[in-house]
Amino acid sequence: MAGFETYQEYQRIEDYDEDSPPGEEDLLIHVPEGRGDPWHHIKNLDNFFTRIYHFHQKNGFACMVLSEFFELVQFLFVVTFTTFLFNCVEYDVLFANRVVNHTGQSLGPLDRNKVTLPDAILPGEQCTERIQGNSWIIFLLIMAAIFWLYRLVKVIFNVLSYWEIRQFYKKALKIQMDELCNFTWQEVQGRLIHLQREQPMCVQKRELSELDIYHRILRFKNYTVAMINKSLLPVRLRVPFFGDTIFLTQGLKYNFELILFWGPLSLFQNKWSLHPKYKRAANRQELAKQLSRIILLTGLVNLLLCPFVLVWQVLYAFFSYAEVIKREPGSLGARRWSLFGRLYLRHFNELDHELQGRLGRGYKPAAKYMNAFVSPLLAVLAKNVAFFTGSVLAVLIALTVYDEDVLTVQHILTAITVLGVVVTITRSFIPDEHMVWCPEQLLQCVLAHIHYMPDHWKGNANKSETRDEMAQLFQYKAVFILEELLSPIITPFILIFPLRSKSLEIIDFFRNFTVDVAGVGDICSFAQMDIRRHGNPQWMSEGQTEASVYQQAENGKTELSLMHFTIKNPHWQPPQESSVFISHLKEKVQQDAQTGPSPQLLLSEAPLCTSLLSNESATGPDNLLASVLAHPVLTSSGLPGRNRRFVPPSSTASAAASVLASLSSSQQPHAGRSRSYTLLPSRQQHDDTMYCSDHTVGNSMSASDSRMLSQSCSALASEFASAEMSLHAIYMHEVHQQKTQHASAPLQASVPMRDLSANSGSQIQSAQTVTLVPPASGRLGGWAEEEEEEQADEEEINTNPVPDQTSRGSS
């Protein structure tokens, strides 16, 4: 496809004779005698912080141990049950192809007794003989037993690790297990930072910041997100008759990480340090050849194991989805965020639960957008097929109701099942007669939550090309299952051919975009969210970045990631360059708000957008988004507002700026909550407890919002933080579109960045202000589900040996 504004061919970096400046990889650090507890001066903080995060997200010791136990039982069940079905069942008897008579000599086919399940099951001795006589079955069982014992050892090791983290939560963080679910990750993270001051876990750094902890947990994921952003990983394939296709599965992703990050021949010498030889430019060609050989070896191993992995994938898919498809055939037509979509849409330094929450909010708008596209021809065919198959199905059901002996007719149940599946599938192609066709507004609503979309989608939401590209981010569950089944076959060829050809580019990427942070180790430089080094001038960082085209992050990834991290971690103090960018953005929002509509008018029309884009009543944060999302609808249609005035013509950017500015002006920081570097400056500074003013709530939220407020202040704070980020995403995309479409012409609805200095002191007019509840800190994905992906990451962490040496980035 024309897709996602992929980055052009990577630039080749010339060879240099001199090596890069010598590092301090072998620096030995003296660790003084500390306390006797095991979490004093921890060597592998990456492993430790990741286990703490997974322990919190998976709800503690009991849930994690039970999950590990059932994984062992599940594997054992699949192997034993499959062996039983292949060797211990007499299918001729089960299908009544052979006469079975329990009372004596049979006189004819009609004299036989009814076949029971025990009749079709072979005796234990005969079943054992069949298994022993098949050498192939014995080999597979031996391999399965070895793998199960390996898994058992890992489970025991993991349980011991979980117990250690449990003790850490109870003794160091003072959090009891029955209270764990009441703590957000930000609260746990705050206790970790406080504990570092009293009891140093990190040797080289006295103070830990929120960004340090994120770097430790997301070190390798940030690299992966950056490589997807720069189109370095070969996940886009050209398939005959299908064109450009995205193919990224759990198996392929596992091999990428094995080769690059934690495998025995990976580029990293431990969890926190890139091997020194990859930091030097002199031997890049030799290293590229070495990496090419490693990729080839991994691809050949995948090709050798392909039959075994394929058999396991088929069995696992059958046991997982057969009953669901039988009970609910329409589940295959449900959609899910693809693995590629999760990496393409992920911010730098975004934890799993933050990403899952954000994409979860965008699920319904994305589903509505995809379902809005219908084919009239296909709809006509589907209606007629549904009529004919439904008629036959109705007759068969009526006959079974009249006489249940109809069920004994051969294949009658099969016919009923197949006809039911066909009816369900065909009805999914019949459009809803009450559907409202508003693709641009639906896509804008999707953007509010996913934060990223290619520039060419703007204004083309009604085109099938845009829908096809969106389908690569938001795929059918049936497509997901099919890709995973084909993964063992396709993965070896992707490794051997496309990935090998990118060996030199991968070597250059890790050398050019790896920085050593004191007390953290080697991280992807994009994860620093450094506007000066990786900003994009087309994304409001003009004049603030020195990045070349090669160094720029695509699609505004650096700028949007910085905004997201700042909103989610309000106590984090950004570096100077980031603070300047946030300050300029704040001033630009204030100036654009002056040309926008009144916040009162926008909020008064929010229920209209809610009725157009949602089936549920809007909450307080949803009203903020709806007020902006409804604005283009009202402007284009000329609908009068509730105050009987027409909405003044203005852009979506100015509408978003107006709401953001009024949100800032009503900000009431929590006692003890410092946010001097907040995105939008507050005109009122109170020491009151946040969200405790009934007057404030009454002015900005409905009765349902007040009930939600009384239930959970922290949950509401998280929702408002998400709404604030969504408004920033809409605003930044709109300004970016204006800059790219009319670079030489003056913008009509926004103030250019070059004019900020002249108007830095401007404030919002008092008539435009409205009291709103302010945002606050709070938390916002086997191969079948995202939770298994996280579990695989955790298992890899727990099984990696902890080095005995200390290095610059080890603690």
Side-chain angles (χ1 to χ4, degrees), residues 469-511:
E469 294 179 10
M470 181 66 184
Q472 295 182 345
L473 303 177
F474 197 56
Q475 63 182 177
Y476 282 116
K477 190 65 174 285
V479 175
F480 162 73
I481 297 174
L482 181 61
E483 287 183 350
E484 292 295 341
L485 291 177
L486 295 177
S487 178
I489 302 174
I490 300 178
T491 294
F493 297 99
I494 294 179
L495 297 177
I496 294 174
F497 297 106
L499 186 62
R500 284 184 64 208
S501 64
K502 291 182 173 290
S503 297
L504 183 60
E505 298 172 14
I506 293 174
I507 295 297
D508 290 339
F509 177 88
F510 277 89
R511 185 184 71 255

Side-chain angles (χ1 to χ4, degrees), residues 80-100:
T80 56
F81 190 50
T82 303
T83 304
F84 170 80
L85 292 177
F86 275 99
N87 298 276
C88 302
V89 177
E90 193 70 35
Y91 289 98
D92 286 338
V93 175
L94 183 64
F95 298 149
N97 295 328
R98 192 169 64 192
V99 176
V100 176

Side-chain angles (χ1 to χ4, degrees), residues 427-573:
R427 285 180 177 174
S428 65
F429 292 101
I430 301 175
D432 183 6
E433 60 181 358
H434 304 294
M435 180 185 64
V436 179
W437 174 248
C438 50
E440 289 293 343
Q441 282 68 43
L442 286 173
L443 192 60
Q444 186 83 326
C445 190
V446 174
L447 172 64
H449 299 288
I450 67 176
H451 300 171
Y452 294 97
M453 74 175 190
D455 290 343
H456 63 269
W457 285 12
K458 184 70 174 179
N460 298 314
N462 60 332
K463 294 185 177 181
S464 58
E465 293 81 1
T466 303
R467 180 191 183 276
D468 293 339
E469 294 179 10
M470 181 66 184
Q472 295 182 345
L473 303 177
F474 197 56
Q475 63 182 177
Y476 282 116
K477 190 65 174 285
V479 175
F480 162 73
I481 297 174
L482 181 61
E483 287 183 350
E484 292 295 341
L485 291 177
L486 295 177
S487 178
I489 302 174
I490 300 178
T491 294
F493 297 99
I494 294 179
L495 297 177
I496 294 174
F497 297 106
L499 186 62
R500 284 184 64 208
S501 64
K502 291 182 173 290
S503 297
L504 183 60
E505 298 172 14
I506 293 174
I507 295 297
D508 290 339
F509 177 88
F510 277 89
R511 185 184 71 255
N512 293 327
F513 298 120
T514 295
V515 294
D516 186 7
V517 178
V520 177
D522 291 332
I523 64 169
C524 180
S525 60
F526 286 102
Q528 288 287 85
M529 302 174 295
D530 188 347
I531 297 296
R532 180 183 58 83
R533 182 172 181 181
H534 296 301
N536 192 322
Q538 295 298 323
W539 285 87
M540 306 180 67
S541 57
E542 185 177 3
Q544 304 175 43
T545 180
E546 303 171 359
S548 63
V549 176
Y550 175 72
Q551 296 172 324
Q552 294 170 4
E554 306 302 318
N555 302 309
K557 181 75 76 172
T558 301
E559 292 79 5
L560 288 169
S561 296
L562 174 61
M563 299 299 298
H564 179 267
F565 190 84
T566 306
I567 292 174
K568 287 296 180 181
N569 298 273
H571 293 281
W572 177 62
Q573 296 289 344

Side-chain angles (χ1 to χ4, degrees), residues 661-679:
S662 59
L663 180 66
S664 171
S665 65
S666 62
Q667 202 171 39
Q668 298 177 3
H670 192 283
R673 179 176 178 268
S674 173
R675 192 170 181 175
S676 58
Y677 49 89
T678 184
L679 300 178

Side-chain angles (χ1 to χ4, degrees), residues 6-7 222-236 248 256 339-340 343-345 509 554-555 557:
T6 54
Y7 186 68
N222 281 328
Y223 273 107
T224 306
V225 171
M227 286 189 285
I228 289 292
N229 181 256
K230 301 296 288 185
S231 302
L232 183 58
L233 294 179
V235 297
R236 192 181 305 277
L248 182 61
F256 286 158
L339 183 56
F340 170 78
L343 293 175
Y344 176 82
L345 300 175
F509 177 88
E554 306 302 318
N555 302 309
K557 181 75 76 172

Side-chain angles (χ1 to χ4, degrees), residues 123-261:
E125 298 79 6
Q126 190 174 353
C127 180
T128 304
E129 290 177 2
R130 281 195 176 187
I131 295 176
Q132 293 176 349
N134 192 330
S135 58
W136 181 248
I137 293 294
I138 294 178
F139 172 75
L140 291 179
L141 289 177
I142 292 175
M143 296 296 295
I146 294 175
F147 181 78
W148 189 83
L149 291 175
Y150 166 73
R151 287 285 304 141
L152 178 62
V153 174
K154 287 183 63 176
V155 167
I156 296 174
F157 178 83
N158 290 344
V159 169
L160 296 177
S161 174
Y162 301 154
W163 182 261
E164 177 188 356
I165 299 300
R166 178 181 183 273
Q167 296 300 105
F168 176 80
Y169 267 90
K170 293 180 64 176
K171 296 182 179 180
L173 298 183
K174 309 300 182 184
I175 299 177
Q176 300 302 318
M177 292 300 98
D178 56 348
E179 300 176 354
L180 181 63
C181 59
N182 298 327
F183 283 81
T184 65
W185 170 249
Q186 277 70 23
E187 293 171 331
V188 174
Q189 183 175 257
R191 297 200 177 196
L192 281 174
I193 296 174
H194 179 73
L195 180 65
Q196 167 68 16
R197 302 189 186 103
E198 299 180 349
Q199 180 179 329
M201 296 174 287
C202 179
V203 178
Q204 294 88 353
K205 202 169 186 180
R206 181 62 179 174
E207 293 282 342
L208 283 179
S209 68
E210 293 84 351
L211 188 59
D212 293 335
I213 296 177
Y214 275 69
H215 282 333
R216 293 284 190 174
I217 299 174
L218 300 171
R219 189 187 305 272
F220 295 156
K221 287 188 177 180
N222 281 328
Y223 273 107
T224 306
V225 171
M227 286 189 285
I228 289 292
N229 181 256
K230 301 296 288 185
S231 302
L232 183 58
L233 294 179
V235 297
R236 192 181 305 277
L237 308 176
R238 182 171 293 276
V239 182
F241 307 108
F242 291 96
D244 286 344
T245 303
I246 299 293
F247 185 85
L248 182 61
T249 62
Q250 294 290 352
L252 183 58
K253 178 174 175 288
Y254 176 87
N255 279 276
F256 286 158
E257 295 174 348
L258 178 70
I259 293 170
L260 300 176
F261 300 127

Side-chain angles (χ1 to χ4, degrees), residues 71 74 316 782-793:
E71 277 194 6
Q74 187 181 80
Y316 187 85
W783 53 269
E785 300 297 340
E786 289 71 29
E787 290 76 6
E788 298 187 12
E789 175 191 351
E790 299 172 9
Q791 185 172 5
D793 296 339

